[in-house]
Each structure stands twice: as structure tokens, then as C-alpha cells.
Amino acid sequence: MSDPRPPLPDHLSVDPRSPHFSREVCEHAIGIRFNGKERQDVEEYCVSEGWVKVPAGRTLDRKGRPMLIKLKGQVEAYYL
């Protein structure tokens, strides 16, 4: 039985303006484990480089989008 979901990319963003956005992958529920803990607030990740980008509290940039900070560590992405 084959899995109808596309394989998870090494680098993925949930922002449609990003070159790393994939509509086919984002249609499915994706889980991120960062340093052994589940994260629900990840906006972008890269498994090979070992980082995630998450919102920095309620801070917004000048265009009204959340400010993101990059956290480095062990990243594991999987389908829920």
C-alpha cells in the first residue's frame, strides 16, 4: 500500500511567498520535533542545517507579519 502524501522536503516554509513553500506538502498535517520536544509554532525548518524559525512572541515586523527567530538544534519532521 503506497502513501499518497509527497515526501517531506529538507527545507519547508508555511509562507506562500517563500521559495521553500510547497502547497502539496502543506495540505497535510506535519509535526516537528525540535531537540526532542514537539513544537506547534514552527513557521520554517531545515533538517540538514538543523534549525527552525518560530515567532518571537507578539512582535510584528513593519509589514505586520510575526518576527521570526532562528533556533538551532536537532530537527525531525514527520506527517501526523
Side-chain angles (χ1 to χ4, degrees):
M1 197 167 154
S2 66
D3 192 5
R5 300 176 293 201
L8 284 171
D10 176 60
H11 189 159
L12 181 67
S13 175
V14 296
D15 184 8
R17 295 178 300 263
S18 172
H20 302 291
F21 176 74
S22 173
R23 183 171 309 282
E24 296 81 27
V25 174
C26 290
E27 288 175 350
H28 304 282
I30 300 171
I32 303 292
R33 187 173 291 119
F34 180 68
N35 289 337
K37 295 184 179 179
E38 301 292 323
R39 295 292 302 242
Q40 304 296 326
D41 60 347
V42 175
E43 297 282 330
E44 187 173 350
Y45 73 83
C46 183
V47 174
S48 64
E49 295 178 12
W51 56 262
V52 295
K53 287 187 179 180
V54 296
R58 294 185 182 182
T59 309
L60 300 176
D61 67 6
R62 61 185 176 165
K63 295 182 181 177
R65 295 187 300 260
M67 291 282 276
L68 302 177
I69 57 173
K70 185 187 281 189
L71 304 174
K72 294 188 178 211
Q74 183 180 2
V75 180
E76 179 186 347
Y78 56 91
Y79 283 115
L80 296 176

